[in-house]
Structures are given as C-alpha cells and as structure tokens.
Amino acid sequence: QRLDPASGNIAFFDFAARGTVQMYIQRLAKQRLRGFYFLQMVPGSMRKYHLDILPFYEKEHSGIFQCFYALETIVTAPHPPVLGFDALGEAIYAPETRGERDLSCVRRVQEGIIDYFQTYQDLDPAWKAMEEKSLEEGMLCLLSKLEIRNEDFLSMRDDDPFFNRTAAVRELL
C-alpha cells in the first residue's frame, strides 16, 4: 500500500465513517477524492468541507446502523490500520492486534459470504442487475436474528482506536 497521488481520479473507501479521514488524505493528496462508504456516520456532518461522499446506506435508523460494529469485524483488511505515510509514501501500519486465529476466522467468513452470493447469483441471474438496496439491507439485518454459535467468530475482538473501544463480537450482536 502506497500513497502515490500522481494524477487521475482517486476513490476512497471506508466502511463506516464520517469523512474525517477522507478530508485529511485529500489534503495530503491535493486531489479530489470520491468517498465510497458502506454507511456514513452522522450524514451531512462533513458537508461544510465539500467532500464528495457517496454512502451505500443512508438510513440512520436502519438495521445496518444497529449492527455495523459486528459487520466491521467481518469487512476488514488482512493488515492492521494505516497510521500514516512516510516521506516516500509508504504506509505505516499500527501494530497488529489480531492473532492468526482471528485472521483465519475473518478469511473463512469472507470466503463464505463470497461463495453464498456467487451461488445465489448463479441460481437467480436477474438478481445481479437489481439496484434495490432494501433487499440487501434486509439480508444484512438478518444478522441480528441469526444464532451464531462459532466460538472463533464470537470471541473475535473489534478494536476501534478512533473511539478507544474494544469489544468481543458477541457483545456487538
């Protein structure tokens, strides 16, 4: 991972955020970033900074907002968070807090999700073309109705240094 803002358009992805990180990276890059967020926390809070943010979900009181901490544990990168960039643009990572058991569990969950949706698309090709978000939201909201018994997953910890919070996934469901 390298910050090399030479030219062209830059897309910025954050799972659940307000837009603060995008704002600061945009200042470093000196280029406009288009932010793609799964959901934007406190929608409109960054409007005064004229950030280009496109959240996938905008409903503040939806089921997604109720379980995004647990989802954030699954939708994660295989490396620790980026703390900053050195003079050459190389990423400086935070110390890894997850063990191999947690990383393995995340990989299995992500592979299972991909397999599920690929199988679903094969069974119903029309689903690929759907643009209706309510179906996806309804499927994601099922997370709170499922009984998850996998101890590896339930004991995983979600570390959120921004909010200075650490919690086991079982506490987030």
Side-chain angles (χ1 to χ4, degrees):
Q1 277 47 348
R2 192 170 174 197
L3 181 64
D4 188 11
S7 64
N9 298 323
I10 299 176
F12 178 83
F13 174 80
D14 207 336
F15 183 71
R18 295 176 88 161
T20 311
V21 174
Q22 179 181 338
M23 178 182 70
Y24 286 114
I25 289 179
Q26 185 167 298
R27 288 180 187 173
L28 286 173
K30 301 201 179 353
Q31 290 171 265
R32 192 134 180 92
L33 302 178
R34 178 105 199 245
F36 295 94
Y37 298 2
F38 188 75
L39 63 93
Q40 184 178 17
M41 308 301 293
V42 194
S45 66
M46 301 301 284
R47 196 169 287 134
K48 63 185 173 188
Y49 299 107
H50 308 288
L51 297 175
D52 186 4
I53 296 173
L54 182 65
F56 189 69
Y57 284 105
E58 300 179 48
K59 300 174 193 161
E60 202 165 350
H61 301 290
S62 72
I64 300 305
F65 270 77
Q66 295 170 13
C67 64
F68 84 88
Y69 282 122
L71 289 170
E72 195 171 43
T73 305
I74 298 166
V75 183
T76 185
H79 52 73
V82 174
L83 292 177
F85 296 90
D86 65 16
L88 298 174
E90 297 292 331
I92 300 169
Y93 293 99
E96 181 62 80
T97 58
R98 302 167 296 180
E100 184 51 42
R101 182 177 172 186
D102 291 344
L103 293 170
S104 175
C105 182
V106 167
R107 280 191 297 272
R108 288 191 321 267
V109 170
Q110 290 175 351
E111 289 165 4
I113 291 168
I114 291 168
D115 183 57
Y116 174 85
F117 280 101
Q118 286 175 340
T119 301
Y120 191 89
Q121 287 178 355
D122 291 344
L123 294 173
D124 185 7
W127 185 79
K128 259 187 204 179
M130 288 183 68
E131 292 186 27
E132 181 61 44
K133 292 180 185 177
S134 62
L135 174 64
E136 291 90 348
E137 182 175 356
M139 292 174 77
L140 287 168
C141 289
L142 288 175
L143 186 62
S144 63
K145 300 192 181 345
L146 296 174
E147 181 182 353
I148 299 172
R149 297 179 188 164
N150 184 289
E151 192 55 39
D152 284 348
F153 179 70
L154 292 171
S155 64
M156 284 180 51
R157 302 198 68 72
D158 179 49
D159 295 324
D160 190 338
F162 188 78
F163 290 109
N164 195 26
R165 177 193 57 74
T166 300
V169 169
R170 72 171 29 89
E171 298 168 17
L172 302 174
L173 294 174

